[in-house]
Amino acid sequence: MTTFQTIDAALKKAQTILVVSHMRPDADALGSTLAFTLYLQSLGKKVTAWNEDGVPEKFQYLPQHHLLTLPSPTPQNFDVVLVLDNSNKKRVGTPMAAVAHAGFWINIDHHISNENFADLNYVDPTSPATGQILCEYFEELGIPITLDMAGNLFAAISTDTGSFQYRGTNSRTFLAASRLVERGVDVADLSLAMYDCQPKRRLNLLKHALNTAVFLCEDRLVTFSLSLADVATLGVIPEDNEGIIDHLRSVDSVVAAVFYEELNDGLVRVSARSKDPRVNVSTICAQFGGGGHPLAAGTRVRGSLAEISEKFNQALCEAISHGS
């Protein structure tokens, strides 16, 4: 694994830099992208920040979110492409086609399934969020963290750790958060925007999920499927889906939870969560071409909802039975 110093030296030599993350972004992906974009701008670099989905409505509380846009329709050249919170190039999505040429690639990430696809890779699976890695990056190199950078990094860490409660949250996490609060982050206001400003349609989706959830494996596995017909009926958008699975996972008997989402392109998006380290959902997702963390992973598989859910449920039930 490369060092922060090596990465920073490479970035300082570059003039045009693209910062990207994964499709269907979460606050860790977007907050990390925006924080690093702000840092690179402070160095006088020509910085472009893209995401396949831009900045979804629910994340527009992030400071300076306007800096992150949809990819250009015309492919462009960059000295460096910096990929954050992303384990492989495929998950970058449409920004890949908008890169005509890149001098080299840098990847900073925390997923254990990372493929080390870049020329310079810094991958730390012991960190629960890429935002935490960036806090340590700036701290180690003595780089000042502005208030806007701090707000983005705090959102990245808070959301990816489930408000500091997921397994993997460690003393470094609280130290990073403390330093960001010292920079001026208003935890109450930011938490209100992150957790208590949901659209009503998301509540309708939650009601639907609770009413249609299926319990399997002696109630140790719970699943929820969302078809395209359901999407049309409920009037929901992709960003509304995030976090629904956590409500299902909270049942006391449940070891693992899975959300199946039918997509327009004939694919099914699978999001899996586990509460037991013996049930590694990253390993199971890898069998279906995906990956992630041992307790939170996902994949996209071509097929029908019924077909994919049956196969994935069977693999997960076997893992649960073996783990117990």
Side-chain angles (χ1 to χ4, degrees):
M1 184 168 69
T2 191
T3 65
F4 291 151
Q5 290 82 0
T6 300
I7 291 174
D8 210 57
L11 290 169
K12 286 179 177 175
K13 291 179 182 177
Q15 292 303 313
T16 57
I17 301 172
L18 171 65
V19 187
V20 295
S21 186
H22 58 78
M23 61 178 73
R24 294 289 288 267
D26 54 16
D28 192 22
L30 297 174
S32 295
T33 298
L34 289 166
F36 218 101
T37 296
L38 290 166
Y39 163 56
L40 293 172
Q41 285 186 336
S42 74
L43 298 178
K45 305 301 180 181
K46 183 179 178 181
V47 191
T48 302
W50 287 339
N51 189 279
E52 175 174 298
D53 299 287
V55 181
E57 176 186 346
K58 67 178 290 185
F59 296 119
Q60 291 183 5
Y61 63 83
L62 292 170
Q64 303 292 328
H65 65 83
H66 64 277
L67 295 175
L68 199 160
T69 66
L70 295 169
S72 168
T74 304
Q76 299 182 22
N77 297 325
F78 299 96
D79 295 332
V80 175
V81 176
L82 172 62
V83 184
L84 300 174
D85 194 41
N86 199 350
S87 59
N88 61 64
K89 281 188 177 181
K90 181 176 67 174
R91 290 205 69 213
V92 173
T94 54
M96 288 292 299
V99 177
H101 172 77
F104 62 96
W105 295 70
I106 298 174
N107 179 218
I108 300 176
D109 183 38
H110 70 122
H111 294 93
I112 196 169
S113 59
N114 190 284
E115 298 177 356
N116 291 292
F117 59 86
D119 300 297
L120 296 176
N121 298 282
Y122 189 97
V123 182
D124 180 7
T126 70
S127 178
T130 298
Q132 177 175 315
I133 297 175
L134 298 190
C135 284
E136 294 169 348
Y137 181 107
F138 297 138
E139 182 72 19
E140 182 174 321
L141 299 182
I143 297 166
I145 297 177
T146 66
L147 179 57
D148 285 344
M149 291 168 64
N152 279 295
L153 293 174
F154 190 93
I157 295 171
S158 178
T159 54
D160 239 34
T161 59
S163 297
F164 305 94
Q165 63 179 316
Y166 291 165
R167 194 180 301 271
T169 304
N170 50 44
S171 60
R172 292 160 48 202
T173 311
F174 288 103
L175 181 59
S178 175
R179 287 170 174 159
L180 296 175
V181 174
E182 289 176 354
R183 300 298 193 277
V185 170
D186 188 318
V187 176
D189 282 354
L190 190 54
S191 296
L192 179 67
M194 288 189 288
Y195 303 117
D196 293 325
C197 288
Q198 306 292 334
K200 184 179 179 181
R201 62 176 185 269
R202 191 171 183 277
L203 177 62
N204 292 331
L205 176 59
L206 176 58
K207 288 164 57 179
H208 177 71
L210 296 177
N211 286 327
T212 60
V214 177
F215 287 84
L216 304 166
C217 306
E218 299 177 332
D219 290 348
R220 292 179 293 174
L221 171 62
V222 60
T223 75
F224 162 53
S225 296
L226 186 69
S227 68
L228 290 173
D230 293 331
V231 170
T233 299
L234 295 167
V236 295
I237 58 178
E239 65 190 71
D240 296 330
N241 302 333
E242 301 303 322
I244 297 295
I245 195 173
D246 297 325
H247 294 276
L248 304 179
R249 186 181 58 174
S250 67
V251 176
D252 57 0
S253 65
V254 167
V255 174
V258 189
F259 168 48
Y260 299 102
E261 178 187 5
E262 185 179 22
L263 303 178
N264 285 310
D265 51 8
L267 296 174
V268 174
R269 177 175 176 255
V270 182
S271 296
R273 301 291 184 270
S274 171
K275 294 196 291 191
D276 188 338
R278 294 173 298 179
V279 180
N280 187 326
V281 291
S282 178
T283 299
I284 297 171
C285 285
Q287 298 173 21
F288 292 82
H293 304 290
L295 301 183
T299 187
R300 294 185 178 206
V301 189
R302 187 163 298 282
S304 68
L305 273 175
E307 174 193 4
I308 301 307
S309 60
E310 180 180 3
K311 291 180 179 178
F312 197 91
N313 288 344
Q314 181 178 357
L316 192 47
C317 276
E318 290 176 359
I320 291 172
S321 298
H322 180 74
S324 60

